[in-house]
Amino acid sequence: RRRRNREPARPKETQTMATEEPDPQEVEGEEPELPTTWEGLGVCPALCEAVNAVKWKAPTEIQRRSLPHSLAKRDIIGLAETGSGKTGAFALPILQALLET
């Protein structure tokens, strides 16, 4: 039998429906200024004290971009290099939710 040279199957295009108002950061145009302090991002005082104790001087870019969304209980997907602060961006909202309960 002879094999046919076929292109790999491509996923079908899907449509998604918006169920909420668009996020101002996702709207085209100028990007809003991101907060540069833990307090400005909405991190609670106890965790601000903790990050200062471990000498995290200022939030990294992935933290500045993701924390406002995750602290507002929104799902996020982030992509950043190793050592960029992804684990902190992931853990701080969880710790804050635990402190609030």
Side-chain angles (χ1 to χ4, degrees):
R1 278 182 134 166
R2 203 170 128 192
R3 286 186 163 175
R4 295 181 185 177
N5 188 10
R6 292 191 221 176
E7 284 189 39
R10 294 184 181 164
K12 294 180 180 178
E13 291 184 30
T14 60
Q15 290 184 342
T16 58
M17 295 176 55
T19 57
E20 297 179 17
E21 291 295 314
D23 186 333
Q25 289 187 354
E26 296 173 2
V27 176
E28 290 183 35
E30 288 187 29
E31 198 168 306
E33 188 72 26
L34 297 170
T36 57
T37 64
W38 300 106
E39 295 85 359
L41 291 170
V43 176
C44 70
L47 289 177
C48 287
E49 203 174 299
V51 295
N52 289 325
V54 294
K55 299 196 179 6
W56 291 3
K57 295 178 181 167
T60 64
E61 182 178 2
I62 188 73
Q63 293 163 344
R64 288 191 318 267
R65 291 180 176 274
S66 65
L67 283 172
H69 300 287
S70 55
L71 290 171
K73 312 258 190 282
R74 290 179 158 166
D75 293 338
I76 59 167
I77 296 174
L79 177 66
E81 292 184 18
T82 300
S84 62
K86 294 183 300 291
T87 303
F90 172 77
L92 286 172
I94 295 169
L95 293 171
Q96 186 155 317
L98 290 170
L99 288 171
E100 291 172 351
T101 59

